[in-house]
């Protein structure tokens, strides 16, 4: 793939789109948000059968990868269909375990992860918060896992559903023995939980670079898919919605808003695909900030052009609106990613 998928890659994306289109994704996502995981786990198994998670797992551990280009195409489809679950975290876990000096944890955990038998999550390292700040909640006595270095507390995504929970502690990377209560989240389908301290120490100084790069790439691709879905649904809405006896989509101001959203998403697409080819940290950061900002901007346009009904949680549009906002800060805020882009490309200019 040279910024344009080849026929085999396009067929893979189309097959995944068909698989997800046949599922009741809005219903699955809403059930997942209530902690009802049965249909979500069944869908997870079908996604794994399509080879999605194996793309992040090396062949030595019964995977198909690492194949970041194909994984990026897959995550665009996962975002377009609002698939719930620790998708990005499972990919990041595969990258992290593969990079450990001791191959034993990877040999034990990665084969079932590639087959879809295991859902994985982990706490992001500083300074990569998983989600934007949520409203204050009453304190509870559950001890939280603290990320390395900064001393701040991070929550893991879907710790109640994952069987493999990796926690970054001051001592290094640990296999968490469990999770605390689910916390409120901006996106109800992204269930946040603290991870319990203790557990087996897997590595005292884990190499986090690969995990962050893969997580950011997957997040960027997922956000691109979210933005595309929001744009598609908004175009359908302005064709149906009328004012003064004509569709609102015929108004020039509405056309301009949709065109701006389309341009932002199409500018982000080659950055995502290009980052998948290089896996350079600066390229991945650029793709992440571009795709997430495009998706967030499209979400604002979608909310505006849907009118009052766009504010209702009952409308399926809300599944993508909240996800666009949450992904914007997942695995690196826009400011952090921009700083990494400037540092990375500035260093290249100096060479």
């Amino acid at each position: 793939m040279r910024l344009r998928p080849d026929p085999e890659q396009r067929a893979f994306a189309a097959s995944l789109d068909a698989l997800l289109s046949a599922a009741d994704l809005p219903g699955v996502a809403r059930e997942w948000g209530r902690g009802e995981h049965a249909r979500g786990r069944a869908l997870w198994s079908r996604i794994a059968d399509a080879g999605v998670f194996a793309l992040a797992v090396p062949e030595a551990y019964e995977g198909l990868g690492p194949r970041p280009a194909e994984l990026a195409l897959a995550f665009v489809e996962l975002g377009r269909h609002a698939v719930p679950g620790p998708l990005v975290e499972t990919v990041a876990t595969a990258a992290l375990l593969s990079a450990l000096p001791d191959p034993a944890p990877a040999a034990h955990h990665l084969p079932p992860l590639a087959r879809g038998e295991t859902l994985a999550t982990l706490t992001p390292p500083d300074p990569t918060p998983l989600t934007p700040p949520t409203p204050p909640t009453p304190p509870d006595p559950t001890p939280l896992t603290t990320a390395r270095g900064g001393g701040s507390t991070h929550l893991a995504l879907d710790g109640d559903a994952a069987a493999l929970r990796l926690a970054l502690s001051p001592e290094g990377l640990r296999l968490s023995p469990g999770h605390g209560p689910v916390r409120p989240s901006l996106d109800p389908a992204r269930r946040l939980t603290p991870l319990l301290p203790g557990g087996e120490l897997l590595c005292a100084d884990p190499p986090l670079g690969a995990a962050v790069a893969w997580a950011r790439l997957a997040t960027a691709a997922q956000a691109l898919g979210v933005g595309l879905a929001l744009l598609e649904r908004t175009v359908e809405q302005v064709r149906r919605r009328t004012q003064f006896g004509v569709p609102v989509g015929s108004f020039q101001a509405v056309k301009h808003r949709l065109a701006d959203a389309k341009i932002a998403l199409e500018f982000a697409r080659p950055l995502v695909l290009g980052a998948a080819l290089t896996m350079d940290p600066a390229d991945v950061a650029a793709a992440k900030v571009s795709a997430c900002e495009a998706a967030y901007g499209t979400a604002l346009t979608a909310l505006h052009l849907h009118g009052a009904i766009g504010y209702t949680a009952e409308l399926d549009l809300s599944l993508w609106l909240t996800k666009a906002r949450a992904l914007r800060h997942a695995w690196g805020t826009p400011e952090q990613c921009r700083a990494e882009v400037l540092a990375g490309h500035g260093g290249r200019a100096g060479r």
Side-chain angles (χ1 to χ4, degrees):
M1 178 179 72
R2 296 184 179 181
L3 300 185
R4 178 179 295 178
D6 60 34
E8 184 177 347
Q9 291 168 329
R10 289 197 296 270
F12 169 62
S15 67
L16 190 57
D17 175 43
L19 184 155
L20 298 174
S21 296
D24 173 24
L25 257 305
V28 171
R30 293 183 189 280
E31 289 175 4
W32 191 276
R34 296 193 298 266
E36 302 168 11
H37 299 136
R39 286 208 295 166
R41 288 183 182 277
L43 178 62
W44 188 280
S45 296
R46 294 197 293 274
I47 293 171
D49 290 341
V52 171
F53 303 120
L55 295 171
V57 176
E59 293 182 6
Y61 303 116
E62 302 183 23
L64 301 173
R67 302 182 69 171
E70 286 76 10
L71 184 123
L73 294 173
F75 267 73
V76 171
E77 297 304 321
L78 297 176
R80 281 186 62 237
H81 292 274
V83 177
L87 300 163
V88 171
E89 289 65 31
T90 293
V91 167
T93 296
L96 180 55
L97 293 180
S98 300
L100 294 182
D102 181 6
H108 179 70
H109 294 292
L110 291 189
L113 185 149
R115 295 191 296 266
E117 299 168 2
T118 298
L119 282 71
T121 192
L122 75 163
T123 52
D126 277 334
T128 55
L130 189 66
T131 59
T134 53
T137 55
D140 67 64
T142 308
L144 305 183
T145 299
T146 303
R148 300 169 68 237
S152 63
T153 299
H154 290 315
L155 302 176
L157 184 66
D158 293 311
D160 59 330
L164 176 59
R165 308 177 189 93
L166 299 183
L168 289 166
S169 70
E171 295 79 25
L173 181 67
R174 289 190 177 274
L175 192 61
S176 176
H179 65 87
V182 177
R183 302 296 180 87
S185 173
L186 180 68
D187 177 3
R190 292 170 61 84
R191 294 167 60 82
L192 304 176
T193 58
L195 298 185
L196 300 182
E200 178 186 355
L201 181 65
L202 300 181
C203 183
D205 187 22
L208 302 175
V212 171
W214 278 79
R216 286 181 173 175
L217 176 67
T219 300
Q222 190 179 14
L224 177 60
V226 168
L228 293 171
L230 285 166
L231 182 61
E232 292 168 4
R233 288 173 173 269
T234 305
V235 169
E236 293 175 2
Q237 170 70 5
V238 299
R239 284 173 174 167
R240 292 192 303 264
R241 184 182 175 193
T242 61
Q243 286 183 354
F244 311 110
V246 296
V248 298
S250 64
F251 301 155
Q252 189 175 34
V254 172
K255 291 179 181 179
H256 285 176
R257 291 290 299 273
L258 295 171
D260 289 343
K262 176 69 172 177
I263 290 170
L265 292 168
E266 291 306 321
F267 267 85
R269 190 193 300 269
L271 290 180
V272 173
L273 300 181
L277 294 179
T278 68
M279 289 305 289
D280 180 88
D283 292 343
V284 174
K288 203 270 179 186
V289 71
S290 177
C292 289
E293 292 297 86
Y296 183 57
T298 304
L300 296 177
T301 295
L303 185 61
H304 185 192
L305 297 184
H306 271 77
I309 195 173
Y311 286 85
T312 62
E314 291 77 12
L315 187 69
D316 286 345
L317 185 79
S318 66
L319 300 175
W320 287 271
L321 289 175
T322 55
K323 200 171 298 295
R325 179 65 179 90
L327 292 177
R328 187 173 183 239
H329 281 73
W331 292 95
T333 66
E335 294 76 17
Q336 291 162 358
C337 289
R338 289 190 180 101
E340 186 157 345
V341 172
L342 292 174
H345 289 285
R348 292 179 197 174
R351 293 195 295 270

